[in-house]
Amino acid sequence: MTWSEDSLHRWLARTHAQSDAAVLRALRGRPGVCCHSCIEGVHFERSTPARAAGAKAARRALSDLAATGARPRALLLALSAPRAASEARMRGLIEGVRSAGVELVGGDLACHRGPLHLAVSALGEYELQGAPPARSRARAGDLVLLTGPVGGSRLGRHLVFEPRFAEGRFLARAGAHALMDVSDGLAWDLHRLARAAGVLIELELAAVPVHRDARRAGGDALGHALHDGEDHELIACIPEADWRRCAARARKAFPRLRVVGRVRRGAGLVLLDARGSSRRWRPGEGGWTHGRA
């Protein structure tokens, strides 16, 4: 049975009371917003269960929101699907978005000829004073932190992850200049952060926490950690003095948090190995870029 916009609207009215738009209660801080696409055949396979695909779509957007240091408040979903999609699958996708733990307050449905496409917008509130973390604010002298192990997400972890909201708020409160979600590969995302801030980042390869899935994936485990992407851990750049003040509390609250490098004057990303030799990382060595040939 193919899906019907009217039928889905009636189901939503019975079960969730959502509409196209919503008026939210006043925020306690400044609003933070982001959006993310999740496309069948790109971000999830056609065989992926609907709830898992919907949950991933929501959590991708929420992971970007976590990188602002904000607290999540609401989600919007724009869902486009071919006519042949079943109503059961459409309901499953919506239920998956709702399962991410943040209220789905509205959205849009559309029929098109392409694959399933979920666009999720996330709204949050930034409750701290002063300038919020941003990629462009990393400064020479900052330490580079990573909230958890990376690599091998293709074995299934790319569908099952939790946005690092607690870590993001802690690090923002501790004085982090920059936060960034690791979605396109650790090396590529560090390079983009360095480019945005006009700095050089030195990554200590021996300090990179390699996920056990990277070892299970076969081949070069460190290469997987640097380039696979969809880990959805956070990168943080924080002044060394601020880190010293909070390091003991941070390690107790977030034992997977690691210092993996340092920000210096210059440009780009440099990889340092355990022997002390270094090489400059170049775009195109790995990671994911939409539209790249």
Side-chain angles (χ1 to χ4, degrees):
M1 176 179 167
T2 61
W3 69 281
S4 158
E5 180 183 19
D6 183 61
S7 177
L8 283 171
H9 279 170
R10 286 186 278 114
W11 170 71
L12 286 166
R14 291 194 306 271
T15 57
H16 308 313
Q18 274 105 21
S19 60
D20 293 340
V23 177
L24 304 180
R25 293 184 298 275
L27 301 179
R28 292 190 293 268
R30 286 172 285 174
V33 295
C34 63
C35 65
H36 237 306
S37 291
C38 202
I39 304 167
E40 184 180 69
V42 178
H43 302 99
F44 63 93
E45 299 300 326
R46 182 173 294 183
S47 59
T48 302
R51 282 181 63 94
K56 175 176 181 174
R59 288 175 178 144
R60 277 170 58 83
L62 289 168
S63 187
D64 271 350
L65 189 65
T68 68
R71 189 183 301 274
R73 282 289 301 272
L75 296 174
L76 294 167
L77 168 65
L79 174 55
S80 303
R83 182 175 297 177
S86 71
E87 183 152 328
R89 186 157 178 80
M90 297 288 280
R91 290 186 183 188
L93 292 166
I94 296 169
E95 292 284 10
V97 172
R98 294 183 69 246
S99 75
V102 179
E103 187 177 7
L104 176 62
V105 298
D108 183 59
L109 297 168
C111 185
H112 73 151
R113 294 185 179 181
L116 285 166
H117 178 197
L118 299 89
V120 177
S121 297
L123 171 69
E125 51 192 4
Y126 184 77
E127 300 169 313
L128 303 179
Q129 299 300 313
R135 297 182 193 183
S136 60
R137 294 190 61 231
R139 296 290 180 265
D142 287 352
L143 296 178
V144 181
L145 278 62
L146 187 62
T147 60
V150 291
S153 65
R154 66 183 69 177
L155 296 186
R157 207 171 75 253
H158 70 107
L159 294 172
V160 185
F161 59 90
E162 291 297 329
R164 304 304 185 198
F165 280 107
E167 293 90 332
R169 290 196 299 272
F170 180 95
L171 291 164
R173 191 175 295 111
H177 287 148
L179 289 169
M180 185 176 181
D181 160 61
V182 181
S183 57
D184 294 326
L186 177 62
W188 180 221
D189 285 334
L190 282 170
H191 175 86
R192 292 194 297 174
L193 191 153
R195 184 174 61 191
V199 295
L200 180 143
I201 291 178
E202 292 179 341
L203 178 65
E204 298 176 12
L205 297 179
V208 174
V210 178
H211 199 282
R212 62 179 179 272
D213 288 345
R215 307 186 194 284
R216 290 174 52 221
D220 179 7
L222 179 60
H224 286 307
L226 292 177
H227 300 130
D228 283 358
E230 294 205 290
D231 299 293
H232 299 291
E233 298 294 343
L234 296 183
I235 297 164
C237 298
I238 185 170
E240 187 169 4
D242 289 335
W243 172 244
R244 284 199 299 268
R245 281 193 289 271
C246 74
R249 287 183 292 120
R251 290 186 175 115
K252 183 176 181 180
F254 311 111
R256 305 190 318 161
L257 192 63
R258 297 287 185 275
V259 176
V260 297
R262 184 178 292 272
V263 182
R264 299 195 184 278
R265 296 184 185 277
L269 173 64
V270 168
L271 307 181
L272 304 178
D273 67 22
R275 298 184 300 275
S277 60
S278 65
R279 72 173 183 88
R280 183 170 292 273
W281 187 89
R282 305 286 183 185
E285 289 187 39
W288 176 262
T289 302
H290 289 278
R292 184 171 64 194

